[in-house]
Amino acid sequence: MFDDLLQELNISILDHGGSELIVPNDLQECVSETRNCHIRSWLWNVPKFRRWRVTRLDAGDRLQVLNSVAYPTYQSDLPILGVDLLWFGKKQKLVAILDFQPLIQDQEYFDRYFEGLKHLKEYFQDFNSDTNMNLYDPNKYFSPWVLFCKGGINEATNILPRVFKAFIKSYWDNFNLSKTHYKQIEPVQVKRIHIDYDKYSAEKDPAHGLFSGFFGKEWSDKYMKEFLFPLSS
Ligand code: BLA
């Protein structure tokens, strides 16, 4: 599950001038023989982004994950791209979240950057789960049009690939907006928000408990601090 989407994402990044970087500190790969589980991470250097990371976890029919976060440079106040896809094979359960994660909750900002996502939310009704978020605050770094699906095999294999493709395309479209009549958030403020995003996410992300179970607490702490959310510490 998710290998085709990973491939699609890689091609899209390459098409936009991305090149692969070395994942530092030995965090590129971790295998748990005892738990029969494997995690791989990638880091990309992409024009107009300061960081683009991707994680693929393969724990067989217990869990499959594709997770990616892309942070535009501090010179741009574009939303952060956030993708978290989970497939629990034994339970045949999909949890999929895709969002343009807003730096601020502001109408003018939404009007500027969220037209595309709004259309996708209307079009893909299955990604309209109004299931409440339990862990995260929906008003902090999530948009009102977050694509959120708690579904099954049909959503995972038939609908998600179409949503994913349209979502990535729509995110890129934001880079072509003209700069007129809009007061950008200052770079120094964008930086502050990116730091807060990492801190907030490191605190809330349920990945830590999951990784500790698979790869041990020490590795998991390091992975959270150094790879997933480096600005959190
Ligand atoms: C939920 N994310 C989850 C859950 C897990 C992970 C285990 C709970 C799933 C369930 O309902 O049973 C797992 N998160 C991971 C893993 C990684 C990770 C393995 O980051 C590995 C890197 N999470 C993000 C990003 C977004 C996000 C970028 O990392 C935004 C698009 C959202 N994940 C998100 C949300 C939920 C979730 C909104 C539901 C949590 C809730 O109910 O509040």
Side-chain angles (χ1 to χ4, degrees):
M1 191 66 80
F2 303 142
D3 282 337
D4 289 351
L5 301 189
L6 175 61
Q7 176 76 358
E8 171 116 19
L9 180 62
N10 290 345
I11 290 171
S12 180
I13 291 173
L14 287 166
D15 280 351
H16 288 82
S19 55
E20 217 180 315
L21 295 167
I22 290 171
V23 174
N25 308 339
D26 239 8
L27 289 170
Q28 184 181 352
E29 197 159 26
C30 191
V31 179
S32 164
E33 303 287 357
T34 48
R35 307 279 337 257
N36 206 4
C37 176
H38 180 197
I39 187 166
R40 262 216 70 176
S41 304
W42 295 266
L43 207 51
W44 291 92
N45 182 16
V46 185
K48 301 185 183 157
F49 287 83
R50 66 169 187 81
R51 181 177 178 82
W52 193 319
R53 65 160 167 85
V54 181
T55 297
R56 175 85 176 83
L57 174 89
D58 178 357
D61 64 2
R62 282 164 300 161
L63 179 62
Q64 298 284 321
V65 178
L66 177 61
N67 180 283
S68 186
V69 177
Y71 305 82
T73 60
Y74 297 135
Q75 280 67 44
S76 141
D77 66 357
L78 277 163
I80 293 168
L81 173 135
V83 173
D84 198 13
L85 310 177
L86 301 106
W87 173 249
F88 300 88
K90 274 189 206 152
K91 299 186 217 153
Q92 295 283 289
K93 180 179 122 179
L94 173 75
V95 179
I97 307 105
L98 305 96
D99 202 6
F100 299 176
Q101 301 201 258
L103 301 192
I104 51 172
Q105 304 277 333
D106 170 88
Q107 193 56 50
E108 197 188 352
Y109 182 85
F110 288 147
D111 289 346
R112 180 166 171 79
Y113 292 129
F114 287 79
E115 267 315 297
L117 192 62
K118 241 187 246 185
H119 287 302
L120 298 186
K121 182 88 175 179
E122 276 161 28
Y123 188 78
F124 292 107
Q125 291 289 322
D126 303 280
F127 276 63
N128 223 335
S129 296
D130 46 13
T131 5
N132 291 330
M133 291 184 192
N134 303 314
L135 306 164
Y136 294 94
D137 176 353
N139 297 314
K140 202 167 174 191
Y141 303 125
F142 286 97
S143 79
W145 305 280
V146 54
L147 302 172
F148 193 169
C149 178
K150 290 197 172 179
I153 190 72
N154 177 47
E155 287 79 9
T157 54
N158 296 324
I159 302 168
L160 178 61
R162 288 192 287 134
V163 171
F164 189 78
K165 194 181 177 114
F167 171 82
I168 298 292
K169 182 184 175 310
S170 181
Y171 184 75
W172 287 118
D173 287 345
N174 270 337
F175 284 87
N176 300 326
L177 292 174
S178 71
K179 294 228 182 322
T180 50
H181 307 307
Y182 176 75
K183 192 171 172 305
Q184 288 243 340
I185 307 172
E186 296 292 333
V188 52
Q189 182 61 11
V190 172
K191 182 174 179 183
R192 265 189 223 124
I193 298 171
H194 282 202
I195 292 171
D196 185 67
Y197 173 92
D198 269 20
K199 287 193 166 147
Y200 176 74
S201 305
E203 200 182 294
K204 297 284 177 188
D205 200 325
H208 185 264
L210 196 115
F211 291 145
S212 296
F214 286 131
F215 307 110
K217 185 171 179 308
E218 195 181 329
W219 186 89
S220 181
D221 283 350
K222 187 170 152 84
Y223 189 70
M224 294 294 286
K225 272 194 212 134
E226 295 177 20
F227 184 75
L228 291 184
F229 306 111
L231 296 184
S232 65
S233 54

